[in-house]
Amino acid sequence: MPVKAPVEKAAKRAVVIAVGAGKGGTGKTTFSINLGVALAEMGRRTILMDADASMSNLSTYMGIEPHTLKTTLHEVLAGEAEPDKAVYKAFNDNLRVVPSGLSIEGFLKMDRSLLKDVIEYFSRDADFIVIDTPAGYNKELALSLAASDHLILVLNPDEGSMTDGLKVQEMARILDVNILGIVLNRYDMKNPFFSRSQVEAHFGSPVIAMLPEEPGVRRKDKVPSVLAAPSSRMAAEVYHVAELLAGQKAPSESTSFVSRLMLALFNTAAI
Ligand SMILES: Nc1ncnc2c1ncn2[C@@H]1O[C@H](COP(=O)(O)OP(=O)(O)OP(=O)(O)O)[C@@H](O)[C@H]1O
Ligand SMILES: [Mg+2]
């Protein structure tokens, strides 16, 4: 079997987290926004980047009006704008958002291969970068992972999510990205195919959050759950992941064996 050379990663200050799934609609964007806001609320300088360059909706979810987006990741990847021009503020002074554009023209002109360089550029001046990756098994996902330290899989307890998520986890492993864990979103959906322990056994990775089916997860005023409903289960679970990343929380007693093993191997306090 050929030995794969480890991927070289440039020295950087920010911890880069790719949020992925493979399958569409599992809640990647919703979770990315809430995690980014939670980290910012904890005082961490956080960049939330929309790497879903073809079907971007992160900024729309956050209530950023499309007409205010003069410069986006599209222009940066087209070599037409400095990365700093594609940065917008939202909800908290510690949070900066790098949206993708909505136009087909912008999508066509970008050079995806610059994505890794752009992520590395931003990582010089932030504590965390949270990358919302696209559905599918594609170049934006691979380039995002190649620049990331950790992958968080956002999965639903259904068969499609399990199959696609495994592919993304495998890609991350090939690219030498740590699998931080799985966020099991909508775990209480009707007739779930998999329980938490089945998911952990299937992936060999810990479930680090369980997000309930939450009809109010997207509000008309676009305020994310961690701010709009800070005492909700959703907010508590998202903060749990943020605290793991920030090294403020040890794994709980109830954490499964796989979780404890993974967390012991990966010392979060050292990030
Ligand atoms: N826990 C939840 N409870 C109820 N609805 C949810 C939950 N999480 C996400 N949703 C809804 O599911 C839909 C898909 O969520 P989202 O856009 O975050 O997924 P995604 O994985 O980013 O999708 P895509 O693959 O298209 O980028 C949205 O309408 C969102 O509001
Ligand atoms: Mg999305």
Side-chain angles (χ1 to χ4, degrees), residues 23-30 52 57 61 132 135 185-186 211-215 217-218 234:
K23 186 168 183 279
T26 61
K28 298 177 287 299
T29 302
T30 304
D52 191 352
N57 50 21
Y61 276 27
D132 179 25
N185 189 25
R186 311 179 103 163
L211 308 185
E213 180 70 30
E214 175 55 68
V217 76
R218 264 172 73 200
M234 175 79 76

Side-chain angles (χ1 to χ4, degrees), residues 60-71:
T60 330
Y61 276 27
M62 298 181 80
I64 302 174
E65 296 292 336
H67 69 268
T68 63
L69 298 177
K70 290 200 172 61
T71 307

Side-chain angles (χ1 to χ4, degrees), residues 4-251:
K4 292 192 176 65
V7 177
E8 283 275 322
K9 293 204 173 133
K12 58 193 174 200
R13 278 193 287 145
V15 174
V16 184
I17 306 132
V19 176
K23 186 168 183 279
T26 61
K28 298 177 287 299
T29 302
T30 304
F31 177 76
S32 298
I33 293 169
N34 278 282
L35 179 64
V37 172
L39 287 165
E41 288 283 311
M42 288 162 57
R44 303 304 205 277
R45 293 169 309 145
T46 303
I47 292 180
L48 194 46
M49 183 181 282
D50 188 357
D52 191 352
S54 55
M55 293 291 172
S56 61
N57 50 21
L58 182 131
S59 54
T60 330
Y61 276 27
M62 298 181 80
I64 302 174
E65 296 292 336
H67 69 268
T68 63
L69 298 177
K70 290 200 172 61
T71 307
T72 72
L73 193 60
H74 283 172
E75 284 69 43
V76 176
L77 295 178
E80 293 175 359
E82 295 293 322
D84 291 326
K85 295 271 186 258
V87 170
Y88 299 80
K89 291 241 177 214
F91 300 123
N92 184 305
D93 283 348
N94 289 318
L95 185 65
R96 288 173 285 162
V97 183
V98 180
S100 270
L102 301 175
S103 75
I104 294 169
E105 189 202 11
F107 170 69
L108 291 174
K109 69 186 174 186
M110 68 179 194
D111 177 357
R112 289 174 174 73
S113 61
L114 295 175
L115 188 60
K116 193 165 180 267
D117 295 337
V118 173
I119 294 166
E120 278 170 9
Y121 173 86
F122 283 122
S123 75
R124 289 175 209 158
D125 185 32
D127 297 318
F128 289 98
I129 299 182
V130 178
I131 307 173
D132 179 25
T133 69
Y137 202 67
N138 48 43
K139 207 165 173 183
E140 280 97 338
L141 172 65
L143 290 165
S144 298
L145 285 173
S148 295
D149 302 295
H150 308 290
L151 167 68
I152 295 178
L153 285 164
V154 177
L155 307 178
N156 302 142
D158 63 34
E159 285 158 318
S161 194
M162 295 297 112
T163 313
D164 298 351
L166 264 188
K167 286 187 200 155
V168 175
Q169 176 167 278
E170 193 50 32
M171 187 194 271
R173 289 208 165 123
I174 289 167
L175 292 169
D176 199 23
V177 180
N178 178 63
I179 317 298
L180 189 72
I182 296 162
V183 171
L184 199 52
N185 189 25
R186 311 179 103 163
Y187 71 90
D188 52 352
M189 62 171 36
K190 273 190 190 149
N191 307 317
F193 277 100
F194 296 95
S195 66
R196 174 188 189 140
S197 56
Q198 284 172 321
V199 172
E200 291 188 329
H202 191 70
F203 282 82
S205 299
V207 169
I208 53 175
M210 304 267 284
L211 308 185
E213 180 70 30
E214 175 55 68
V217 76
R218 264 172 73 200
R219 296 158 44 102
K220 276 207 176 115
D221 63 8
K222 312 282 176 115
V223 178
S225 300
V226 289
L227 293 178
S231 51
S232 62
R233 167 92 194 252
M234 175 79 76
E237 292 288 297
V238 173
Y239 267 107
H240 173 75
V241 177
E243 285 163 5
L244 280 179
L245 282 163
Q248 291 182 2
K249 198 164 203 165

